Amino acid sequence: AKVNGTSVPAAPAAGQVLTATGPTAAAWQAPAAGDGYASVVVAAPSGVAATDTANIQNAINAVAGSFGGTVVLREGNYLINATLSIPSVVCIKGQGMDITTLFASGLPGSAAMLTAGAGNNLIHIQDLTLNFNKVGRGAITALDDVHFTGQDNRFTRVKFIGNAGATCLSFGTIANGLHNIVDACQFIMNGSANATALFGGGDLYVSNCYFNNTVTMLRMITVGFNAYICNNLFELGAGGTQVIFSNGG
């Protein structure tokens, strides 16, 4: 076979991609980590929080690079006892809501479960449940359970089970948390008094989501400027909760 006049082997092995090996040569090769094709499947949940947390963070670190990659989680409950830090262009993919769960176990009440600082962009979290374990963690002093302050990040088909006094998902301030998308997610506030389900920066897009609370909360969604909120279902189990509050116009 030839590509642009260059002969290449006709039969690639599974997982190989066509790679230039010189100005006039090409070959089928396994992709290197960080070139956009990297993918790591995390070991099945071990039942030990330190092990599960390290396995996931190590997988995130392995695919991180200029073009990122995908971390695939298996079925079951992964126990999380320390904050997972996520860099740009990383996708974390489970097997579905209530099939793959990250469960806070031994995570300090002052700590978020997931963070991505300013400048960490194009992250995608999908097809899993984040259970912040309000009951089992004692006093919760963290402002946010998930704190992303980059841009162009996305959450798809994620169930958030909230904490008392904390924001489930925060995209930071108007100045840095821009162009983020939340689609087909569920926010189950689970008795989370004085909490906010979703705090958005600027240009936040929220669609096809379900919001449920069982006690009076501070508010469901706080938005900055240019928020697009459409086709969502809000089920308020108690009165006195603001559904949408704008702090930026």
Side-chain angles (χ1 to χ4, degrees), residues 121-221:
N121 309 319
L122 298 169
I123 298 167
H124 192 185
I125 310 297
Q126 64 182 107
D127 298 311
L128 51 80
T129 292
L130 301 176
N131 188 330
F132 306 117
N133 188 17
K134 177 182 74 69
V135 175
R137 290 173 62 196
I140 304 298
T141 58
L143 293 178
D144 310 314
D145 292 313
V146 177
H147 187 75
F148 279 34
T149 54
Q151 301 183 18
D152 301 299
N153 296 310
R154 178 188 292 264
F155 288 77
T156 308
R157 296 180 299 276
V158 176
K159 177 185 282 188
F160 299 83
I161 301 179
N163 265 330
T167 298
C168 274
L169 172 59
S170 172
F171 290 116
T173 66
I174 295 173
N176 56 17
L178 300 173
H179 316 134
N180 295 294
I181 297 173
V182 182
D183 184 56
C185 292
Q186 297 182 16
F187 293 82
I188 311 300
M189 296 311 292
N190 195 30
S192 300
N194 195 33
T196 300
L198 174 59
F199 186 95
D203 293 329
L204 175 67
Y205 185 90
V206 183
S207 65
N208 307 307
C209 293
Y210 172 65
F211 295 83
N212 173 274
N213 75 311
T214 57
V215 299
T216 299
M217 292 167 49
L218 185 62
R219 55 186 64 101
M220 286 291 191
I221 303 176

Coordinates of all heavy atoms in Angstrom, one line a residue, residues 121-221:
N121 N -7.4 23.2 30.5 CA -8.6 23.3 29.7 C -8.9 22.0 28.9 O -8.1 21.1 28.9 CB -8.4 24.4 28.7 CG -7.9 25.7 29.3 OD1 -8.4 26.1 30.4 ND2 -6.9 26.4 28.7
L122 N -10.1 22.0 28.3 CA -10.5 20.9 27.4 C -10.4 19.5 28.2 O -10.0 18.5 27.6 CB -9.5 20.8 26.2 CG -9.6 22.0 25.3 CD1 -8.5 22.0 24.3 CD2 -11.0 22.1 24.6
I123 N -10.9 19.5 29.4 CA -11.1 18.3 30.2 C -12.5 17.8 30.0 O -13.4 18.5 29.9 CB -10.8 18.6 31.7 CG1 -9.3 19.0 31.8 CG2 -11.0 17.3 32.5 CD1 -9.0 19.6 33.2
H124 N -12.6 16.5 29.9 CA -14.0 15.9 29.8 C -14.1 14.8 30.9 O -13.3 13.8 30.9 CB -14.1 15.3 28.4 CG -15.5 14.9 28.1 ND1 -15.9 14.2 26.9 CD2 -16.7 15.1 28.7 CE1 -17.2 14.0 26.8 NE2 -17.7 14.5 28.0
I125 N -15.2 14.9 31.7 CA -15.6 13.9 32.7 C -16.9 13.3 32.2 O -17.9 14.1 32.0 CB -15.7 14.5 34.1 CG1 -14.5 15.4 34.4 CG2 -15.9 13.4 35.1 CD1 -13.2 14.6 34.5
Q126 N -17.0 12.0 32.1 CA -18.2 11.4 31.6 C -18.5 10.0 32.1 O -17.7 9.3 32.5 CB -18.1 11.4 30.0 CG -17.1 10.4 29.5 CD -17.0 10.4 28.0 OE1 -16.1 11.0 27.4 NE2 -18.0 9.8 27.4
D127 N -19.8 9.7 32.2 CA -20.3 8.4 32.4 C -19.9 7.8 33.7 O -19.4 6.7 33.8 CB -19.9 7.4 31.3 CG -20.5 7.9 29.9 OD1 -21.7 8.2 29.9 OD2 -19.8 8.0 28.9
L128 N -20.2 8.5 34.8 CA -19.8 8.0 36.2 C -20.6 8.8 37.2 O -21.3 9.8 36.9 CB -18.3 8.1 36.4 CG -17.6 9.4 36.2 CD1 -17.8 10.4 37.3 CD2 -16.1 9.2 36.0
T129 N -20.5 8.3 38.5 CA -21.1 9.0 39.6 C -20.0 9.5 40.5 O -19.1 8.8 40.8 CB -22.1 8.1 40.4 OG1 -23.2 7.7 39.6 CG2 -22.6 8.7 41.7
L130 N -20.2 10.7 41.0 CA -19.3 11.3 42.1 C -20.1 11.4 43.3 O -21.1 12.2 43.4 CB -18.8 12.7 41.6 CG -18.0 12.7 40.3 CD1 -17.7 14.2 40.0 CD2 -16.8 11.9 40.4
N131 N -19.8 10.6 44.3 CA -20.5 10.6 45.6 C -19.6 11.2 46.6 O -18.6 10.6 47.0 CB -20.9 9.1 46.0 CG -21.8 9.1 47.2 OD1 -21.8 10.0 48.1 ND2 -22.7 8.1 47.3
F132 N -20.0 12.4 47.1 CA -19.1 13.1 48.0 C -19.3 12.7 49.5 O -18.7 13.3 50.4 CB -19.3 14.6 47.8 CG -19.1 15.0 46.4 CD1 -20.2 15.5 45.7 CD2 -17.9 14.8 45.8 CE1 -20.0 15.9 44.3 CE2 -17.8 15.2 44.4 CZ -18.8 15.7 43.7
N133 N -20.2 11.7 49.7 CA -20.3 11.1 51.1 C -20.5 12.1 52.2 O -19.7 12.2 53.1 CB -19.1 10.2 51.3 CG -19.2 9.4 52.6 OD1 -20.3 9.2 53.1 ND2 -18.1 8.8 53.0
K134 N -21.6 12.9 52.1 CA -21.9 13.9 53.1 C -21.9 13.3 54.5 O -21.4 13.9 55.4 CB -23.2 14.5 52.8 CG -23.7 15.5 53.8 CD -25.0 16.1 53.4 CE -26.2 15.1 53.7 NZ -26.4 14.9 55.1
V135 N -22.5 12.1 54.6 CA -22.7 11.6 56.0 C -21.4 11.1 56.6 O -21.1 11.3 57.8 CB -23.7 10.4 55.9 CG1 -23.9 9.7 57.2 CG2 -25.1 10.9 55.4
G136 N -20.6 10.4 55.8 CA -19.4 9.8 56.3 C -18.2 10.6 56.5 O -17.2 10.1 57.1
R137 N -18.2 11.9 56.1 CA -17.0 12.7 56.2 C -16.9 13.7 57.3 O -16.0 14.4 57.4 CB -16.8 13.4 54.8 CG -16.4 12.5 53.7 CD -16.4 13.2 52.4 NE -15.4 14.3 52.3 CZ -15.4 15.2 51.4 NH1 -16.4 15.3 50.5 NH2 -14.5 16.2 51.5
G138 N -18.0 13.8 58.1 CA -18.0 14.7 59.2 C -18.1 16.1 58.7 O -18.8 16.4 57.7
A139 N -17.5 17.1 59.4 CA -17.7 18.5 59.1 C -17.1 18.8 57.7 O -15.9 18.5 57.4 CB -17.0 19.4 60.1
I140 N -17.9 19.4 56.8 CA -17.4 19.7 55.5 C -17.1 21.2 55.4 O -17.9 22.1 55.6 CB -18.5 19.4 54.4 CG1 -18.9 17.9 54.5 CG2 -18.0 19.8 53.0 CD1 -17.8 17.0 54.2
T141 N -15.8 21.5 55.2 CA -15.4 22.9 55.1 C -14.9 23.3 53.8 O -14.7 24.5 53.5 CB -14.3 23.2 56.2 OG1 -13.2 22.4 55.9 CG2 -14.8 23.0 57.6
A142 N -14.8 22.4 52.8 CA -14.4 22.7 51.5 C -15.5 23.5 50.8 O -16.7 23.3 51.0 CB -14.2 21.4 50.7
L143 N -15.1 24.5 50.0 CA -16.1 25.3 49.3 C -16.7 24.5 48.2 O -17.9 24.7 47.9 CB -15.4 26.6 48.8 CG -14.9 27.6 49.8 CD1 -14.3 28.8 49.1 CD2 -16.1 28.1 50.7
D144 N -15.9 23.7 47.5 CA -16.4 23.0 46.3 C -16.0 21.5 46.4 O -14.9 21.2 46.9 CB -15.8 23.6 45.1 CG -16.0 25.1 45.0 OD1 -17.1 25.6 45.3 OD2 -15.0 25.8 44.7
D145 N -16.9 20.6 45.9 CA -16.5 19.2 45.8 C -15.7 19.0 44.5 O -14.8 18.1 44.5 CB -17.8 18.4 45.8 CG -18.5 18.4 47.1 OD1 -17.8 18.2 48.1 OD2 -19.7 18.6 47.2
V146 N -16.1 19.7 43.4 CA -15.3 19.6 42.2 C -15.0 21.1 41.8 O -16.0 21.9 41.7 CB -16.1 18.9 41.0 CG1 -15.3 19.0 39.7 CG2 -16.4 17.5 41.4
H147 N -13.8 21.4 41.6 CA -13.4 22.8 41.4 C -12.5 22.9 40.1 O -11.3 22.5 40.1 CB -12.6 23.4 42.6 CG -12.3 24.8 42.5 ND1 -13.3 25.8 42.7 CD2 -11.2 25.5 42.2 CE1 -12.8 27.0 42.6 NE2 -11.5 26.8 42.3
F148 N -13.1 23.4 39.0 CA -12.4 23.6 37.8 C -12.4 25.1 37.4 O -13.5 25.7 37.4 CB -13.1 22.8 36.6 CG -12.8 21.3 36.6 CD1 -12.6 20.6 37.7 CD2 -12.8 20.7 35.4 CE1 -12.4 19.2 37.7 CE2 -12.6 19.3 35.3 CZ -12.3 18.6 36.4
T149 N -11.2 25.6 37.2 CA -11.2 27.0 36.9 C -10.6 27.3 35.5 O -10.2 28.4 35.2 CB -10.4 27.8 37.9 OG1 -9.1 27.2 38.1 CG2 -11.1 27.8 39.3
G150 N -10.5 26.3 34.7 CA -10.1 26.5 33.3 C -11.2 26.8 32.4 O -12.3 27.1 32.8
Q151 N -11.0 26.5 31.1 CA -12.0 26.9 30.1 C -12.2 25.7 29.2 O -11.4 24.7 29.1 CB -11.5 28.0 29.2 CG -11.2 29.3 29.9 CD -10.8 30.4 29.0 OE1 -11.0 30.4 27.8 NE2 -10.2 31.5 29.6
D152 N -13.4 25.7 28.6 CA -13.8 24.7 27.6 C -13.8 23.2 28.2 O -13.4 22.3 27.5 CB -12.9 24.8 26.4 CG -13.0 26.1 25.7 OD1 -14.1 26.5 25.3 OD2 -12.0 26.8 25.7
N153 N -14.2 23.1 29.4 CA -14.3 21.8 30.0 C -15.7 21.3 30.0 O -16.7 22.1 29.9 CB -13.8 21.9 31.5 CG -12.3 22.2 31.6 OD1 -11.5 21.6 30.9 ND2 -12.0 23.2 32.4
R154 N -15.9 20.0 30.1 CA -17.2 19.4 29.8 C -17.5 18.3 30.8 O -16.6 17.5 31.1 CB -17.3 18.8 28.4 CG -18.6 18.1 28.0 CD -18.5 17.5 26.7 NE -18.3 18.4 25.6 CZ -19.4 18.9 24.8 NH1 -20.6 18.4 25.1 NH2 -19.2 19.7 23.9
F155 N -18.7 18.2 31.3 CA -19.2 17.1 32.1 C -20.4 16.5 31.4 O -21.4 17.2 31.1 CB -19.6 17.6 33.5 CG -18.4 17.9 34.4 CD1 -17.7 19.1 34.2 CD2 -18.0 17.0 35.4 CE1 -16.7 19.4 35.0 CE2 -16.9 17.4 36.2 CZ -16.2 18.6 36.0
T156 N -20.4 15.2 31.1 CA -21.5 14.6 30.4 C -21.9 13.3 31.1 O -21.0 12.4 31.4 CB -21.0 14.2 28.9 OG1 -20.4 15.3 28.3 CG2 -22.1 13.7 28.1
R157 N -23.2 13.2 31.4 CA -23.7 12.0 32.0 C -23.0 11.7 33.3 O -22.6 10.5 33.5 CB -23.7 10.8 31.0 CG -24.6 11.0 29.8 CD -24.6 9.8 28.9 NE -23.2 9.5 28.4 CZ -22.7 10.1 27.3 NH1 -23.4 11.0 26.7 NH2 -21.5 9.8 26.9
V158 N -22.9 12.7 34.2 CA -22.3 12.5 35.5 C -23.3 12.8 36.5 O -24.1 13.8 36.4 CB -21.1 13.5 35.7 CG1 -20.5 13.4 37.1 CG2 -20.0 13.2 34.6
K159 N -23.4 11.9 37.5 CA -24.3 12.1 38.7 C -23.5 12.6 39.8 O -22.5 12.1 40.2 CB -25.0 10.8 39.1 CG -25.9 11.0 40.3 CD -26.5 9.7 40.8 CE -27.6 9.2 40.0 NZ -28.3 8.1 40.6
F160 N -23.9 13.8 40.4 CA -23.3 14.4 41.5 C -24.2 14.2 42.8 O -25.4 14.6 42.7 CB -23.1 15.9 41.3 CG -22.3 16.3 40.2 CD1 -22.8 16.3 38.9 CD2 -20.9 16.6 40.3 CE1 -22.0 16.7 37.8 CE2 -20.1 16.9 39.2 CZ -20.7 17.0 38.0
I161 N -23.6 13.6 43.8 CA -24.4 13.4 45.0 C -23.7 14.3 46.1 O -22.6 14.1 46.5 CB -24.4 11.9 45.5 CG1 -25.0 11.0 44.4 CG2 -25.1 11.7 46.8 CD1 -25.0 9.6 44.7
G162 N -24.5 15.3 46.5 CA -23.9 16.5 47.1 C -23.5 16.4 48.5 O -23.9 15.5 49.3
N163 N -22.8 17.5 49.0 CA -22.4 17.6 50.4 C -23.1 18.8 51.0 O -23.4 19.8 50.3 CB -20.9 17.9 50.4 CG -20.1 16.6 50.7 OD1 -20.6 15.7 51.3 ND2 -18.9 16.6 50.2
A164 N -23.3 18.8 52.3 CA -23.8 19.9 53.0 C -22.8 21.0 53.0 O -21.7 20.8 53.4 CB -24.2 19.5 54.5
G165 N -23.3 22.2 52.7 CA -22.5 23.4 52.8 C -21.5 23.6 51.6 O -20.8 24.6 51.6
A166 N -21.4 22.6 50.7 CA -20.4 22.7 49.6 C -21.1 22.9 48.3 O -22.2 22.4 48.1 CB -19.5 21.5 49.6
T167 N -20.4 23.4 47.3 CA -20.9 23.4 45.9 C -20.5 22.2 45.3 O -19.3 21.8 45.3 CB -20.3 24.7 45.2 OG1 -20.8 25.9 45.8 CG2 -20.8 24.7 43.7
C168 N -21.4 21.5 44.6 CA -21.0 20.2 43.9 C -20.0 20.5 42.8 O -19.0 19.9 42.8 CB -22.3 19.6 43.3 SG -23.2 18.5 44.5
L169 N -20.3 21.4 41.9 CA -19.5 21.6 40.8 C -19.3 23.1 40.6 O -20.3 23.8 40.4 CB -20.1 21.0 39.5 CG -19.4 21.4 38.2 CD1 -18.0 20.9 38.1 CD2 -20.2 20.7 37.0
S170 N -18.1 23.6 40.7 CA -17.8 25.0 40.5 C -16.8 25.2 39.4 O -15.8 24.5 39.3 CB -17.2 25.6 41.8 OG -16.7 26.9 41.6
F171 N -17.1 26.2 38.6 CA -16.2 26.6 37.5 C -15.5 27.9 37.8 O -14.9 28.5 36.9 CB -16.9 26.7 36.2 CG -17.4 25.4 35.6 CD1 -18.7 25.1 35.5 CD2 -16.5 24.5 35.2 CE1 -19.2 23.9 35.0 CE2 -16.9 23.2 34.7 CZ -18.2 23.0 34.6
G172 N -15.4 28.3 39.1 CA -14.6 29.4 39.5 C -15.3 30.7 39.2 O -16.5 30.9 39.0
T173 N -14.4 31.7 39.0 CA -14.9 33.1 38.8 C -15.3 33.4 37.4 O -14.9 32.6 36.5 CB -13.8 34.1 39.3 OG1 -12.7 34.0 38.4 CG2 -13.4 33.8 40.7
I174 N -15.9 34.5 37.2 CA -16.3 34.9 35.8 C -15.0 35.1 35.0 O -15.0 34.9 33.8 CB -17.1 36.2 35.9 CG1 -18.5 35.9 36.5 CG2 -17.3 36.8 34.5 CD1 -19.3 37.1 36.8
A175 N -13.9 35.5 35.6 CA -12.7 35.9 34.9 C -12.0 34.7 34.3 O -11.4 34.8 33.2 CB -11.7 36.6 35.8
N176 N -12.1 33.5 34.9 CA -11.3 32.4 34.4 C -12.1 31.1 34.1 O -11.7 30.3 33.3 CB -10.2 32.0 35.4 CG -10.7 31.7 36.8 OD1 -11.9 31.4 37.0 ND2 -9.9 31.7 37.8
G177 N -13.3 31.0 34.6 CA -14.1 29.8 34.3 C -15.0 30.0 33.1 O -16.2 30.3 33.3
L178 N -14.5 29.9 31.9 CA -15.3 30.3 30.7 C -15.6 29.1 29.8 O -14.8 28.1 29.8 CB -14.5 31.3 29.9 CG -14.2 32.6 30.6 CD1 -13.3 33.5 29.7 CD2 -15.5 33.4 31.0
H179 N -16.7 29.2 29.1 CA -17.1 28.3 28.0 C -17.2 26.8 28.5 O -16.7 25.9 27.8 CB -16.1 28.4 26.9 CG -15.7 29.8 26.5 ND1 -14.4 30.2 26.3 CD2 -16.5 30.9 26.3 CE1 -14.4 31.5 26.0 NE2 -15.6 31.9 26.0
N180 N -17.7 26.5 29.6 CA -17.8 25.2 30.1 C -19.2 24.6 29.8 O -20.2 25.4 29.8 CB -17.5 25.1 31.6 CG -16.1 25.5 31.9 OD1 -15.1 24.8 31.5 ND2 -15.8 26.6 32.5
I181 N -19.3 23.3 29.7 CA -20.5 22.6 29.3 C -20.9 21.6 30.3 O -20.1 20.8 30.7 CB -20.4 22.0 27.9 CG1 -20.1 23.1 26.8 CG2 -21.6 21.2 27.5 CD1 -19.8 22.6 25.5
V182 N -22.2 21.6 30.7 CA -22.7 20.5 31.6 C -23.9 19.9 30.9 O -24.9 20.6 30.7 CB -23.1 21.0 33.0 CG1 -23.6 19.9 33.9 CG2 -21.9 21.8 33.6
D183 N -23.9 18.7 30.5 CA -25.0 18.1 29.7 C -25.4 16.7 30.2 O -24.5 15.9 30.5 CB -24.5 18.0 28.2 CG -25.6 17.5 27.3 OD1 -26.7 18.1 27.3 OD2 -25.4 16.5 26.6
A184 N -26.7 16.5 30.3 CA -27.2 15.2 30.7 C -26.7 14.7 32.0 O -26.5 13.5 32.2 CB -27.0 14.2 29.6
C185 N -26.5 15.6 33.0 CA -26.0 15.3 34.3 C -27.1 15.3 35.3 O -28.2 15.8 35.1 CB -24.9 16.3 34.8 SG -23.4 16.1 33.8
Q186 N -26.9 14.7 36.5 CA -27.9 14.7 37.6 C -27.2 15.3 38.8 O -26.0 15.0 39.1 CB -28.4 13.3 37.9 CG -29.1 12.7 36.8 CD -29.7 11.3 37.1 OE1 -29.7 10.9 38.3 NE2 -30.0 10.5 36.1
F187 N -27.9 16.2 39.5 CA -27.4 16.8 40.8 C -28.4 16.4 41.9 O -29.5 16.9 41.9 CB -27.3 18.3 40.7 CG -26.3 18.8 39.7 CD1 -26.5 18.8 38.3 CD2 -25.0 19.1 40.2 CE1 -25.5 19.2 37.5 CE2 -24.0 19.5 39.3 CZ -24.3 19.6 37.9
I188 N -28.0 15.4 42.7 CA -28.8 14.9 43.8 C -28.3 15.5 45.1 O -27.2 15.0 45.6 CB -28.8 13.4 43.8 CG1 -29.1 12.8 42.4 CG2 -29.8 12.9 44.9 CD1 -30.4 13.2 41.8
M189 N -29.0 16.5 45.6 CA -28.3 17.2 46.8 C -28.5 16.5 48.1 O -27.7 16.8 49.0 CB -28.9 18.6 46.8 CG -28.6 19.4 45.6 SD -26.8 19.4 45.1 CE -26.0 20.2 46.4
N190 N -29.4 15.5 48.2 CA -29.2 14.5 49.3 C -29.2 15.1 50.7 O -28.3 14.8 51.5 CB -28.0 13.7 49.0 CG -28.0 12.4 49.8 OD1 -29.0 11.8 50.1 ND2 -26.8 11.9 50.1
G191 N -30.0 16.1 50.9 CA -30.0 16.7 52.3 C -28.9 17.7 52.5 O -28.5 17.9 53.6
S192 N -28.4 18.3 51.4 CA -27.3 19.2 51.4 C -27.7 20.6 51.7 O -27.8 21.4 50.8 CB -26.5 19.1 50.1 OG -26.0 17.8 49.9
A193 N -28.0 20.9 53.0 CA -28.5 22.3 53.3 C -27.4 23.3 53.1 O -26.2 23.0 53.2 CB -28.9 22.3 54.8
N194 N -27.8 24.5 52.8 CA -26.8 25.7 52.6 C -25.8 25.4 51.5 O -24.6 25.7 51.6 CB -26.2 26.0 53.9 CG -25.5 27.4 53.8 OD1 -26.0 28.3 53.1 ND2 -24.4 27.6 54.5
A195 N -26.2 24.6 50.5 CA -25.3 24.2 49.4 C -25.8 24.8 48.1 O -26.9 25.2 47.9 CB -25.2 22.7 49.4
T196 N -24.9 24.7 47.1 CA -25.2 25.1 45.7 C -24.8 23.9 44.8 O -23.8 23.3 45.0 CB -24.4 26.3 45.3 OG1 -24.8 27.4 46.1 CG2 -24.8 26.7 43.8
A197 N -25.8 23.6 43.9 CA -25.4 22.4 43.0 C -24.4 22.8 42.0 O -23.4 22.0 41.8 CB -26.7 21.9 42.3
L198 N -24.5 23.9 41.4 CA -23.7 24.3 40.2 C -23.3 25.8 40.3 O -24.2 26.6 40.3 CB -24.3 23.9 38.9 CG -23.7 24.3 37.6 CD1 -22.3 23.7 37.5 CD2 -24.5 23.9 36.4
F199 N -22.0 26.1 40.3 CA -21.6 27.5 40.2 C -20.8 27.7 39.0 O -19.8 27.1 38.7 CB -20.7 27.8 41.4 CG -20.3 29.2 41.6 CD1 -21.0 30.1 42.4 CD2 -19.2 29.7 40.9 CE1 -20.7 31.4 42.5 CE2 -18.9 31.0 41.0 CZ -19.6 31.9 41.8
G200 N -21.3 28.6 38.1 CA -20.7 28.8 36.8 C -20.0 30.1 36.7 O -20.4 31.1 37.3
G201 N -19.0 30.1 35.8 CA -18.3 31.4 35.5 C -19.0 32.0 34.4 O -20.2 32.3 34.4
G202 N -18.3 32.3 33.3 CA -18.9 33.0 32.1 C -19.2 32.0 31.0 O -18.5 31.0 30.9
D203 N -20.2 32.3 30.2 CA -20.5 31.5 29.0 C -20.8 30.0 29.4 O -20.2 29.1 28.8 CB -19.5 31.6 28.0 CG -19.4 33.0 27.3 OD1 -20.4 33.6 27.3 OD2 -18.3 33.4 26.9
L204 N -21.5 29.8 30.5 CA -21.8 28.5 30.9 C -23.0 27.9 30.2 O -24.1 28.6 30.0 CB -22.2 28.5 32.4 CG -22.6 27.2 33.1 CD1 -21.5 26.2 33.1 CD2 -23.1 27.4 34.5
Y205 N -22.9 26.7 29.7 CA -24.0 26.0 29.0 C -24.5 24.8 29.8 O -23.7 23.9 30.1 CB -23.5 25.5 27.6 CG -24.6 25.0 26.7 CD1 -25.3 25.8 25.9 CD2 -24.9 23.6 26.7 CE1 -26.3 25.2 25.1 CE2 -25.9 23.1 25.9 CZ -26.6 23.9 25.1 OH -27.6 23.3 24.3
V206 N -25.7 24.8 30.2 CA -26.3 23.7 31.0 C -27.5 23.2 30.3 O -28.5 23.9 30.1 CB -26.6 24.1 32.4 CG1 -27.2 23.0 33.3 CG2 -25.4 24.8 33.1
S207 N -27.6 21.9 30.0 CA -28.7 21.4 29.2 C -29.0 19.9 29.6 O -28.1 19.2 30.0 CB -28.5 21.5 27.7 OG -27.4 20.6 27.3
N208 N -30.3 19.6 29.6 CA -30.7 18.2 29.7 C -30.3 17.6 31.1 O -30.1 16.4 31.2 CB -30.2 17.3 28.6 CG -30.5 17.8 27.2 OD1 -31.6 18.1 26.9 ND2 -29.5 18.0 26.4
C209 N -30.3 18.4 32.1 CA -29.8 18.0 33.4 C -31.0 17.9 34.4 O -32.1 18.5 34.2 CB -28.8 18.9 34.0 SG -27.2 19.0 33.2
Y210 N -30.8 17.1 35.4 CA -31.9 16.9 36.5 C -31.3 17.4 37.8 O -30.2 17.0 38.2 CB -32.2 15.4 36.6 CG -33.1 15.1 37.7 CD1 -34.4 15.5 37.8 CD2 -32.7 14.2 38.7 CE1 -35.2 15.2 38.9 CE2 -33.5 13.9 39.8 CZ -34.8 14.4 39.9 OH -35.6 14.0 40.9
F211 N -32.0 18.3 38.5 CA -31.6 18.8 39.8 C -32.7 18.4 40.8 O -33.9 18.7 40.6 CB -31.5 20.4 39.7 CG -30.4 20.9 38.8 CD1 -30.7 21.0 37.4 CD2 -29.2 21.2 39.3 CE1 -29.7 21.4 36.6 CE2 -28.2 21.7 38.5 CZ -28.4 21.8 37.1
N212 N -32.2 17.9 41.9 CA -33.1 17.4 43.0 C -32.6 17.8 44.3 O -31.4 17.6 44.6 CB -33.4 15.9 42.9 CG -34.2 15.4 44.0 OD1 -33.6 15.1 45.1 ND2 -35.5 15.3 43.8
N213 N -33.4 18.4 45.2 CA -33.0 18.6 46.6 C -34.1 18.1 47.6 O -35.3 18.1 47.2 CB -32.7 20.1 46.8 CG -33.9 20.9 46.9 OD1 -34.8 20.8 46.1 ND2 -34.0 21.7 48.0
T214 N -33.6 17.7 48.7 CA -34.6 17.2 49.7 C -34.7 18.1 50.9 O -35.6 17.9 51.7 CB -34.1 15.8 50.3 OG1 -32.7 16.0 50.8 CG2 -34.1 14.8 49.2
V215 N -33.9 19.1 51.0 CA -34.0 20.2 52.1 C -33.8 21.5 51.4 O -33.4 21.6 50.3 CB -33.0 20.0 53.2 CG1 -33.2 18.6 53.9 CG2 -31.6 20.1 52.7
T216 N -34.1 22.6 52.2 CA -33.9 23.9 51.7 C -32.4 24.2 51.5 O -31.6 24.0 52.4 CB -34.5 25.0 52.6 OG1 -35.9 24.8 52.7 CG2 -34.2 26.4 52.1
M217 N -32.1 24.6 50.2 CA -30.7 24.9 49.9 C -30.5 26.3 49.7 O -31.5 27.1 49.6 CB -30.3 24.1 48.6 CG -30.2 22.6 48.7 SD -30.2 21.9 47.0 CE -28.9 22.9 46.3
L218 N -29.3 26.8 49.5 CA -29.0 28.1 49.1 C -29.5 28.4 47.8 O -30.3 29.3 47.6 CB -27.5 28.4 49.2 CG -27.0 29.8 49.0 CD1 -27.6 30.7 50.1 CD2 -25.5 29.9 49.0
R219 N -29.1 27.7 46.8 CA -29.6 27.8 45.4 C -29.1 26.6 44.6 O -28.2 25.9 44.9 CB -29.1 29.1 44.7 CG -27.6 29.3 44.7 CD -27.2 30.6 44.2 NE -27.7 31.7 45.0 CZ -26.9 32.4 45.9 NH1 -25.6 32.0 46.0 NH2 -27.4 33.3 46.6
M220 N -29.8 26.4 43.5 CA -29.5 25.3 42.6 C -28.3 25.7 41.6 O -27.3 25.0 41.5 CB -30.7 24.8 41.7 CG -31.7 24.0 42.5 SD -31.1 22.4 42.9 CE -32.6 21.6 43.5
I221 N -28.4 26.8 41.0 CA -27.4 27.2 40.0 C -27.1 28.7 40.2 O -28.0 29.5 40.3 CB -27.9 27.1 38.5 CG1 -28.3 25.6 38.3 CG2 -26.8 27.5 37.6 CD1 -28.8 25.4 36.9

